mmCIF file of all heavy atoms in Angstrom:
data_model
loop_
_atom_site.group_PDB
_atom_site.id
_atom_site.type_symbol
_atom_site.label_atom_id
_atom_site.label_comp_id
_atom_site.label_asym_id
_atom_site.label_seq_id
_atom_site.Cartn_x
_atom_site.Cartn_y
_atom_site.Cartn_z
ATOM 1 N N VAL A 481 -7.004 31.487 -62.195
ATOM 2 C CA VAL A 481 -6.450 32.581 -63.033
ATOM 3 C C VAL A 481 -6.844 32.493 -64.478
ATOM 4 O O VAL A 481 -7.086 31.409 -65.045
ATOM 5 C CB VAL A 481 -4.918 32.663 -62.962
ATOM 6 C CG1 VAL A 481 -4.368 32.910 -61.518
ATOM 7 C CG2 VAL A 481 -4.356 31.350 -63.427
ATOM 8 N N LYS A 482 -6.824 33.683 -65.234
ATOM 9 C CA LYS A 482 -7.108 33.576 -66.623
ATOM 10 C C LYS A 482 -5.794 33.958 -67.350
ATOM 11 O O LYS A 482 -5.167 34.877 -67.043
ATOM 12 C CB LYS A 482 -8.181 34.693 -66.919
ATOM 13 C CG LYS A 482 -8.625 34.699 -68.425
ATOM 14 C CD LYS A 482 -9.604 35.664 -68.659
ATOM 15 C CE LYS A 482 -10.106 35.716 -70.163
ATOM 16 N NZ LYS A 482 -11.173 36.825 -70.378
ATOM 17 N N ILE A 483 -5.409 32.981 -68.314
ATOM 18 C CA ILE A 483 -4.108 33.133 -68.921
ATOM 19 C C ILE A 483 -4.404 33.776 -70.274
ATOM 20 O O ILE A 483 -5.294 33.433 -71.016
ATOM 21 C CB ILE A 483 -3.540 31.630 -69.082
ATOM 22 C CG1 ILE A 483 -3.252 31.014 -67.677
ATOM 23 C CG2 ILE A 483 -2.278 31.743 -69.837
ATOM 24 C CD1 ILE A 483 -2.353 31.899 -66.835
ATOM 25 N N GLY A 484 -3.363 34.559 -70.722
ATOM 26 C CA GLY A 484 -3.249 35.196 -72.089
ATOM 27 C C GLY A 484 -2.166 34.551 -72.848
ATOM 28 O O GLY A 484 -2.112 33.377 -73.013
ATOM 29 N N LYS A 485 -1.354 35.421 -73.332
ATOM 30 C CA LYS A 485 -0.201 34.947 -74.218
ATOM 31 C C LYS A 485 0.819 34.240 -73.238
ATOM 32 O O LYS A 485 1.024 34.383 -72.296
ATOM 33 C CB LYS A 485 0.363 36.158 -74.816
ATOM 34 C CG LYS A 485 -0.649 36.927 -75.763
ATOM 35 C CD LYS A 485 0.022 38.187 -76.244
ATOM 36 C CE LYS A 485 -1.047 38.966 -77.077
ATOM 37 N NZ LYS A 485 -0.414 40.229 -77.537
ATOM 38 N N ARG A 486 1.445 33.373 -74.018
ATOM 39 C CA ARG A 486 2.493 32.442 -73.350
ATOM 40 C C ARG A 486 3.819 32.657 -74.034
ATOM 41 O O ARG A 486 3.941 32.415 -75.225
ATOM 42 C CB ARG A 486 2.121 31.015 -73.242
ATOM 43 C CG ARG A 486 0.723 30.779 -72.494
ATOM 44 C CD ARG A 486 0.160 29.481 -72.668
ATOM 45 N NE ARG A 486 0.794 28.607 -71.559
ATOM 46 C CZ ARG A 486 0.269 27.490 -71.277
ATOM 47 N NH1 ARG A 486 -0.893 27.077 -71.651
ATOM 48 N NH2 ARG A 486 0.909 26.654 -70.303
ATOM 49 N N ASN A 487 4.883 32.963 -73.354
ATOM 50 C CA ASN A 487 6.214 33.280 -73.895
ATOM 51 C C ASN A 487 7.166 32.266 -73.318
ATOM 52 O O ASN A 487 7.719 32.697 -72.195
ATOM 53 C CB ASN A 487 6.639 34.727 -73.618
ATOM 54 C CG ASN A 487 5.748 35.755 -74.160
ATOM 55 O OD1 ASN A 487 5.929 36.920 -74.016
ATOM 56 N ND2 ASN A 487 4.821 35.295 -75.155
ATOM 57 N N GLY A 488 7.490 31.143 -73.812
ATOM 58 C CA GLY A 488 8.439 30.244 -73.291
ATOM 59 C C GLY A 488 8.180 29.856 -71.918
ATOM 60 O O GLY A 488 7.193 29.113 -71.617
ATOM 61 N N LYS A 489 8.917 30.328 -70.914
ATOM 62 C CA LYS A 489 8.859 29.959 -69.601
ATOM 63 C C LYS A 489 7.814 30.833 -68.715
ATOM 64 O O LYS A 489 7.449 30.507 -67.546
ATOM 65 C CB LYS A 489 10.224 30.105 -68.813
ATOM 66 C CG LYS A 489 11.277 29.164 -69.280
ATOM 67 C CD LYS A 489 12.544 29.290 -68.556
ATOM 68 C CE LYS A 489 13.609 28.460 -68.960
ATOM 69 N NZ LYS A 489 14.935 28.584 -68.353
ATOM 70 N N LYS A 490 7.291 31.803 -69.438
ATOM 71 C CA LYS A 490 6.283 32.727 -68.713
ATOM 72 C C LYS A 490 4.925 32.716 -69.292
ATOM 73 O O LYS A 490 4.815 32.497 -70.650
ATOM 74 C CB LYS A 490 6.878 34.169 -68.805
ATOM 75 C CG LYS A 490 8.190 34.366 -67.994
ATOM 76 C CD LYS A 490 8.098 34.233 -66.516
ATOM 77 C CE LYS A 490 9.303 34.582 -65.838
ATOM 78 N NZ LYS A 490 9.372 34.475 -64.443
ATOM 79 N N ALA A 491 3.879 33.065 -68.629
ATOM 80 C CA ALA A 491 2.539 33.103 -69.200
ATOM 81 C C ALA A 491 1.935 34.391 -68.555
ATOM 82 O O ALA A 491 2.115 34.818 -67.447
ATOM 83 C CB ALA A 491 1.718 31.848 -68.713
ATOM 84 N N GLN A 492 1.283 34.964 -69.437
ATOM 85 C CA GLN A 492 0.497 36.292 -69.031
ATOM 86 C C GLN A 492 -0.749 35.916 -68.234
ATOM 87 O O GLN A 492 -1.479 35.040 -68.612
ATOM 88 C CB GLN A 492 0.091 37.114 -70.373
ATOM 89 C CG GLN A 492 -0.576 38.377 -70.084
ATOM 90 C CD GLN A 492 -1.077 39.035 -71.375
ATOM 91 O OE1 GLN A 492 -1.240 38.417 -72.398
ATOM 92 N NE2 GLN A 492 -1.459 40.319 -71.328
ATOM 93 N N VAL A 493 -0.879 36.738 -67.256
ATOM 94 C CA VAL A 493 -1.991 36.495 -66.367
ATOM 95 C C VAL A 493 -3.015 37.718 -66.498
ATOM 96 O O VAL A 493 -2.619 38.882 -66.203
ATOM 97 C CB VAL A 493 -1.559 36.441 -64.845
ATOM 98 C CG1 VAL A 493 -2.830 36.265 -64.020
ATOM 99 C CG2 VAL A 493 -0.670 35.259 -64.578
ATOM 100 N N LEU A 494 -4.132 37.461 -67.053
ATOM 101 C CA LEU A 494 -5.110 38.498 -67.284
ATOM 102 C C LEU A 494 -5.951 38.906 -66.131
ATOM 103 O O LEU A 494 -6.363 40.057 -65.862
ATOM 104 C CB LEU A 494 -6.032 38.016 -68.488
ATOM 105 C CG LEU A 494 -5.347 37.758 -69.807
ATOM 106 C CD1 LEU A 494 -6.419 37.368 -70.801
ATOM 107 C CD2 LEU A 494 -4.633 38.953 -70.352
ATOM 108 N N SER A 495 -6.112 37.877 -65.197
ATOM 109 C CA SER A 495 -6.870 38.204 -63.979
ATOM 110 C C SER A 495 -6.456 37.088 -62.957
ATOM 111 O O SER A 495 -6.192 35.932 -63.334
ATOM 112 C CB SER A 495 -8.277 38.223 -64.200
ATOM 113 O OG SER A 495 -8.792 37.067 -64.589
ATOM 114 N N GLY A 496 -6.614 37.447 -61.676
ATOM 115 C CA GLY A 496 -6.416 36.475 -60.619
ATOM 116 C C GLY A 496 -5.212 36.626 -59.744
ATOM 117 O O GLY A 496 -5.011 36.108 -58.755
ATOM 118 N N LEU A 497 -4.201 37.331 -60.242
ATOM 119 C CA LEU A 497 -2.938 37.547 -59.501
ATOM 120 C C LEU A 497 -2.529 39.035 -59.615
ATOM 121 O O LEU A 497 -2.774 39.754 -60.693
ATOM 122 C CB LEU A 497 -1.820 36.768 -60.097
ATOM 123 C CG LEU A 497 -1.876 35.262 -59.662
ATOM 124 C CD1 LEU A 497 -0.654 34.466 -60.493
ATOM 125 C CD2 LEU A 497 -1.668 34.991 -58.338
ATOM 126 N N GLU A 498 -1.782 39.463 -58.676
ATOM 127 C CA GLU A 498 -1.105 40.765 -58.647
ATOM 128 C C GLU A 498 0.397 40.761 -58.643
ATOM 129 O O GLU A 498 0.921 39.765 -58.067
ATOM 130 C CB GLU A 498 -1.711 41.647 -57.470
ATOM 131 C CG GLU A 498 -3.218 41.688 -57.400
ATOM 132 C CD GLU A 498 -3.710 42.710 -58.539
ATOM 133 O OE1 GLU A 498 -2.770 43.537 -58.975
ATOM 134 O OE2 GLU A 498 -4.885 42.639 -58.944
#
Side-chain angles (χ1 to χ4, degrees):
V481 293
K482 185 177 181 181
I483 298 301
K485 300 170 183 176
R486 302 173 78 158
N487 296 171
K489 294 182 179 180
K490 301 287 186 179
Q492 180 187 18
V493 179
L494 301 177
S495 63
L497 285 174
E498 297 292 335

